[in-house]
Amino acid sequence: MASTQSPLREVRIWAVRREPPWPQGFSFSLLDAGERARADSFTHRRDRSMYLAAHAGLRLVLGDRLGIHPRDIRFGRDRCAHCGGQHGRPVLLGGPDTLHFSLSHCAGITLVALADAPVGVDAERLPGHRTVELCLARLHLRERDELLRTPGEQRPLRFCRLWTRKEAYLKALGTGLGRGLHRDYLGDASAGRPPDWTVVNLSCGPQDGTHAAAVAIPAGVRTPTEPCELNWSAYGHVPGRKASLE
């Protein structure tokens, strides 16, 4: 695969908040066998629909970037930066080594990120107080102290913003949660954070009161403050477009 566009020079992030305006069968047709099996495994229709939207959206933006049909994109796994196993960050097979992507979906919002450097993006719904308390012991000592000094009613949001920063960073590293959560400081202060990395929270727009999100990228790459909305009709591969490859 050869990119038809110039280097990104920034992280591009899209938010998916609703299903695409076409039958699910079209989204299903864009996926590979593994993705289709995963979609079929969901018991609830809403979960299946949002999974299809997330993965169809990822394939559409990647296909647009690479100048190929979304269904021709093939995914694999990089080596884990933590243990060396073949279960690291998702990568393109046969694609340019300079194009990186990240996907995160939770109830209510999906984020898709593209960059010319390793990137991680994460979105989460605010947890309950009990979940926060159970996770505190796993965090970096400074992070734990910051949260314990936070008034109880504000703690879930502050924790969720921290958690998304941490997950985004670990995704960008390629280790995921296999790297101990206590090892890296991603708290509110800039001092002590991982050097040579930019890790920032993103606005969730209308869901700022119920969700948190973050992106991680090597330092020097421009990052947005909020994702743009994925415009399903902007892609030539979708039903109803004259330029559709269908």
Side-chain angles (χ1 to χ4, degrees), residues 218-242:
V221 180
R222 187 168 59 184
T223 61
T225 57
E226 62 181 317
C228 63
E229 298 297 316
L230 184 66
N231 179 8
W232 296 107
S233 63
Y235 298 94
H237 314 290
V238 304
R241 286 290 303 270
K242 291 182 180 179

Side-chain angles (χ1 to χ4, degrees), residues 11-242:
V11 185
R12 298 199 62 191
I13 307 174
W14 293 263
V16 181
R17 304 178 202 270
R18 59 184 62 87
E19 300 174 41
W22 54 67
Q24 283 191 5
F26 178 75
S27 293
F28 198 80
S29 73
L30 299 180
L31 309 187
D32 62 26
E35 290 169 312
R36 292 195 294 270
R38 175 63 174 152
D40 282 338
S41 73
F42 287 100
T43 302
H44 299 292
R45 181 191 180 280
R46 178 63 176 171
D47 294 337
R48 182 177 189 271
S49 298
M50 290 312 298
Y51 177 88
L52 287 171
H55 286 259
L58 173 63
R59 284 177 171 273
L60 283 169
V61 299
L62 282 171
D64 184 62
R65 177 70 188 170
L66 295 167
I68 64 175
H69 198 289
R71 72 164 60 96
D72 293 331
I73 294 168
R74 295 183 300 124
F75 296 116
R77 288 279 181 176
D78 202 356
R79 289 192 177 276
C80 174
H82 177 65
C83 70
Q86 207 68 40
H87 53 260
R89 70 167 68 89
V91 294
L92 291 167
L93 295 180
D97 293 337
T98 55
L99 182 60
H100 301 263
F101 65 93
S102 185
L103 173 69
S104 178
H105 53 95
C106 67
I109 186 171
T110 289
L111 296 180
V112 176
L114 295 188
D116 289 334
V119 61
V121 71
D122 189 56
E124 304 284 346
R125 190 174 180 86
L126 265 61
H129 289 275
R130 179 61 176 162
T131 298
V132 175
E133 297 306 315
L134 289 173
C135 291
L136 283 175
R138 301 174 61 194
L139 302 177
H140 189 283
L141 182 59
R142 287 181 61 194
E143 297 168 345
R144 193 186 320 160
D145 289 343
E146 289 173 1
L147 286 166
L148 289 174
R149 292 196 301 269
T150 303
E153 69 277 7
Q154 300 173 21
R155 197 172 293 172
L157 176 58
R158 192 172 184 181
F159 170 84
C160 198
R161 288 171 64 82
L162 164 67
W163 188 269
T164 56
R165 292 194 299 268
K166 193 170 284 282
E167 280 229 41
Y169 173 65
L170 296 178
K171 284 183 177 182
L173 281 185
T175 65
L177 296 178
R179 181 178 173 90
L181 295 174
H182 65 284
R183 294 183 58 179
D184 308 290
Y185 173 73
L186 274 303
D188 293 333
S190 57
R193 285 196 183 186
D196 303 322
W197 284 88
T198 297
V199 186
V200 295
N201 285 109
L202 301 166
S203 170
C204 293
Q207 291 153 309
D208 270 339
T210 57
H211 292 69
V215 61
I217 192 80
V221 180
R222 187 168 59 184
T223 61
T225 57
E226 62 181 317
C228 63
E229 298 297 316
L230 184 66
N231 179 8
W232 296 107
S233 63
Y235 298 94
H237 314 290
V238 304
R241 286 290 303 270
K242 291 182 180 179

